[in-house]
């Protein structure tokens, strides 16, 4: 129970960012930063569904999870800085807001896109600047929920192409504790608040 609640935000965000903002295609190299988070777990799975070569960046404890979701390679950010590896990617999708375009620019291919799920004024200005100069682009945005995209996600779930990842479930009265756990920044996938429905009138 509670699995459906974990799907819309993460899966829809991943779909819209990769498909529409990232222009993902088969054969592209994609790096997902925050690959074990609520959006990251779907980003890895959807990128593989689209035929990309996927590298997931996460903490040591979550590497096996990211591998199990289909990642072709994993990077432990506590041990390695992916920007120093010399590898280049067509898409770098930062789902947690811990990278910057200036640091990642050399890790992008000539027409690579740096997608930011979490953004501020810096990323807005960089998006405007890169839209006018250079071939590498900073892309930000907000994923709007549409009926059509919900149906896409439903079909992928039904086909087994993607699956929800739920770390913990909390009853409604433990919402504050759930927030404290999420704020630690180490959750795997989603944390779900369970609301019990009474049958009594």
């Amino acid at each position: 129970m509670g699995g459906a609640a974990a799907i819309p935000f993460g899966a829809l965000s991943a779909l819209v960012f990769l498909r529409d903002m990232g222009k993902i295609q088969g054969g592209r190299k994609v790096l997902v930063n925050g690959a074990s988070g609520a959006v990251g777990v779907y980003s890895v799975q959807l990128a593989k569904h689209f035929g990309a070569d996927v590298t997931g960046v996460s903490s040591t404890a979550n590497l096996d999870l990211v591998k199990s979701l289909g990642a072709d390679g994993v990077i432990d950010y506590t041990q390695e800085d992916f920007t120093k590896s010399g590898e280049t990617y067509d898409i770098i999708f930062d789902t947690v807001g811990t990278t910057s375009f200036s640091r990642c620019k050399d890790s992008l291919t000539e027409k690579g896109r740096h997608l930011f799920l979490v953004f501020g004024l810096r990323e807005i200005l960089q998006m405007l600047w890169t839209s006018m100069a250079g071939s590498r682009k900073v892309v930000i945005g907000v994923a709007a929920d549409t009926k059509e995209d919900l149906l896409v996600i439903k079909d992928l779930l039904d086909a087994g192409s993607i699956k929800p990842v739920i770390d913990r479930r909390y009853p409604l009265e433990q919402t504050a504790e759930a927030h404290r756990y999420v704020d630690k920044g180490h959750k795997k996938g989603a944390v779900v608040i369970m609301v019990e429905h009474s049958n009594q009138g």
Side-chain angles (χ1 to χ4, degrees):
M1 295 294 290
I7 295 167
F9 168 72
L12 285 171
S13 295
L15 176 66
V16 172
F17 269 80
L18 290 172
R19 182 194 63 195
D20 301 342
M21 302 181 203
K23 310 297 182 186
I24 193 170
Q25 297 177 18
R28 295 289 175 88
K29 288 183 64 178
V30 176
L31 180 137
V32 178
N33 185 50
S36 58
V39 176
V41 293
Y42 289 107
S43 299
V44 171
Q45 295 178 83
L46 285 168
K48 287 303 299 178
H49 170 73
F50 286 120
D53 181 283
V54 184
T55 298
V57 179
S58 70
S59 64
T60 311
N62 296 334
L63 295 178
D64 287 341
L65 168 65
V66 177
K67 288 178 185 176
S68 75
L69 297 174
D72 299 284
V74 292
I75 295 173
D76 181 350
Y77 70 79
T78 70
Q79 303 294 324
E80 182 182 351
D81 181 348
F82 74 84
T83 66
K84 305 283 180 60
S85 69
E87 291 288 332
T88 57
Y89 304 91
D90 300 293
I91 299 171
I92 294 176
F93 185 16
D94 185 353
T95 69
V96 289
T98 59
T99 68
S100 67
F101 179 66
S102 59
R103 188 165 68 87
C104 296
K105 184 168 60 175
D106 290 339
S107 297
L108 287 167
T109 56
E110 184 179 350
K111 295 185 178 180
R113 290 172 170 249
H114 195 170
L115 314 180
F116 287 94
L117 180 70
V118 180
F119 61 88
L121 180 60
R122 178 182 67 178
E123 287 75 30
I124 293 172
L125 293 174
Q126 287 174 336
M127 181 182 70
L128 294 172
W129 179 74
T130 60
S131 70
M132 297 181 291
S135 57
R136 298 176 178 90
K137 303 299 182 188
V138 168
V139 184
I140 62 173
V142 178
D145 297 352
T146 67
K147 179 181 178 181
E148 291 76 16
D149 283 346
L150 280 169
L151 290 174
V152 170
I153 295 300
K154 177 185 180 297
D155 289 344
L156 290 170
L157 286 163
D158 290 345
S161 299
I162 62 174
K163 62 182 180 181
V165 177
I166 300 172
D167 188 339
R168 297 184 182 185
R169 295 175 172 86
Y170 289 87
L172 183 61
E173 61 270 20
Q174 293 181 16
T175 298
E177 183 178 338
H179 276 286
R180 283 193 291 271
Y181 177 66
V182 170
D183 288 342
K184 292 178 181 177
H186 300 300
K187 69 181 176 66
K188 302 176 181 179
V191 170
V192 176
I193 302 297
M194 307 294 291
V195 179
E196 297 295 333
H197 294 283
S198 172
N199 293 323
Q200 296 179 355

